[in-house]
Amino acid sequence: MEKLTKRRLDALKPSKVGVEGSEQFLWDGELRGFGVRVSAAGLKSFIVQYRTPEGRHRRRVIGRYGLMTVEQARDAARDILISVAKGCDPEEAATRTDDLTVGAVCDWYLGEAEAGRILGRRRRPIKASTLAMDRSRIDAHIKPLLGKRIIDTLKLGDIEGAQADIAAGKTSKARVGSRGGATTGGEGVAARTMSTLHSIFEHAVRLGKITSNPAKGVRRLASTPRERRLSRAEIEKLGKAIRIAEQDGEHPTGLAAIRFFLMTGLRRMEGLALERAWLHDEEGSIRFPDTKSGAQTRVIGRAAVDLLLAQPQAGSRFFFPADWGEGHFVGIVRVLDRVCATARLEDVTPHTLRHTFASVAGDLGFSELTIAALLGHASRGVTQRYIHIDEALRLAADRVADEMADILDGKAAAARPSRRGALQSYGVR
């Protein structure tokens, strides 16, 4: 058996069927247990194979050929084999948590989740949108406050102290440049960050990365629910401000999105990421392949359908495309802020528009069950995936969308008797 050299590795080609399955192995003639593995795709990785003091067979990847030389890999393999000869198991030593930090566990979680090896809700791989939010909380709050802390020394008080710091705005940062958002604090952000941290630790315990969850038992702050919704007078002001903004050259996609959210009650990312293929205009519905509550069929009014069909295609699969690239529009918050500044309206977010849709639907006399179906909440005992689109639900969607359009355009009749008292017990999520 010859010694592994650069020339031998460069000449080594992948085989469709190697010595073991689809992989091919080549062993070093000088250092027993040291070799290289070639995948069917041609990826070459240095490995070391040994038997533990307990008699278990181990095969450990040292590194990738090209990122390290043959001699560097041989030296690393020799160190591992010397450790084994002294009675140690390098594989177990690599998984010890004595010096494992919170930041390292967070990095492990992101890597495993992005590879689809961690299952989330409904026992499916964690969504990319959820991972993006987790990464944001990790980078903005968890790592700055706890990233360097050793897991085994972390106490419950340390975690609740970090929560208090986030709530107090210790990790807040202003927006830098013209893109991206500001890092904010507050009770809601703090509580959601603690939920993320607790979930990361739970995954790490379940998969054997750490032995216990240091965040178990943490008391998360109870945030005050946002009840902000626009009155009819405020909707009229917003409509006037939208017309002024159109004349002043405000972003047309952002203005269209604001009207669409008011007429449908969709969540922000549901509306902005809405694809043309999901719209069934004849039945007035949107077939979402995935949402916060799973796959759904959502009924929307004819006025909302017409607004979507009026959007320029611009070669994008989205109804609200980005100004450049292949993604969807994301700037609705800044457009809404500018329009609300003109209308002199405060504390208005895209979620406020969703609350407002539910409020108008309640004013029109529709039941909470009907409003739940329009908003995409899971019905009691029946998921939205199987909701039957009957004529009554279609008429409700049309009625609310028409009413909202009339208020925005200053054409609405006098306000009808309000049913907000009954609606206050209904949570808009």
Side-chain angles (χ1 to χ4, degrees), residues 407-428:
I407 301 173
L408 285 169
D409 296 335
K411 302 175 183 177
R416 294 167 176 76
S418 175
R419 293 190 48 172
R420 288 184 189 172
L423 195 63
Q424 286 178 353
S425 62
Y426 179 79
V428 180

Side-chain angles (χ1 to χ4, degrees), residues 264-285:
T264 61
L266 263 63
R267 299 180 181 93
R268 178 168 63 95
M269 292 310 297
E270 289 175 347
L272 294 180
L274 180 59
E275 298 189 20
R276 293 179 177 272
W278 301 347
L279 176 66
H280 294 254
D281 59 320
E282 291 186 2
E283 69 176 20
S285 70

Side-chain angles (χ1 to χ4, degrees), residues 184-206:
T184 61
E187 294 178 348
V189 173
R192 289 189 290 274
T193 300
M194 290 302 105
S195 294
T196 297
L197 184 61
H198 181 276
S199 178
I200 291 171
F201 286 155
E202 279 295 295
H203 287 303
V205 170
R206 183 171 55 84

Side-chain angles (χ1 to χ4, degrees), residues 334-353:
R334 289 189 283 278
V335 175
L336 182 60
D337 286 346
R338 290 192 291 266
V339 172
C340 287
T342 301
R344 296 185 178 180
L345 298 174
E346 297 181 352
D347 194 27
V348 180
T349 68
H351 204 67
T352 304
L353 308 183

Side-chain angles (χ1 to χ4, degrees), residues 259-388:
R259 288 184 65 95
F260 181 70
F261 285 127
L262 282 168
M263 290 194 290
T264 61
L266 263 63
R267 299 180 181 93
R268 178 168 63 95
M269 292 310 297
E270 289 175 347
L272 294 180
L274 180 59
E275 298 189 20
R276 293 179 177 272
W278 301 347
L279 176 66
H280 294 254
D281 59 320
E282 291 186 2
E283 69 176 20
S285 70
I286 299 170
R287 302 285 178 89
F288 289 103
D290 195 16
T291 69
K292 182 178 180 180
S293 304
Q296 287 188 357
T297 295
R298 199 79 58 81
V299 183
I300 63 174
R302 173 47 55 181
V305 172
D306 292 341
L307 185 151
L308 289 177
L309 296 177
Q311 298 308 301
Q313 292 203 17
S316 173
R317 70 180 191 273
F318 299 107
F319 280 108
F320 303 109
D323 292 331
W324 55 81
E326 299 180 356
H328 58 76
F329 184 71
V330 295
I332 186 174
V333 173
R334 289 189 283 278
V335 175
L336 182 60
D337 286 346
R338 290 192 291 266
V339 172
C340 287
T342 301
R344 296 185 178 180
L345 298 174
E346 297 181 352
D347 194 27
V348 180
T349 68
H351 204 67
T352 304
L353 308 183
R354 180 170 166 84
H355 277 270
T356 302
F357 172 88
S359 177
V360 170
D363 288 346
L364 293 174
F366 293 111
S367 69
E368 292 185 8
L369 189 60
T370 298
I371 298 173
L374 294 175
L375 288 172
H377 290 183
S379 304
R380 295 178 179 87
V382 182
T383 65
Q384 281 294 121
R385 183 174 183 177
Y386 303 109
I387 273 192
H388 175 61

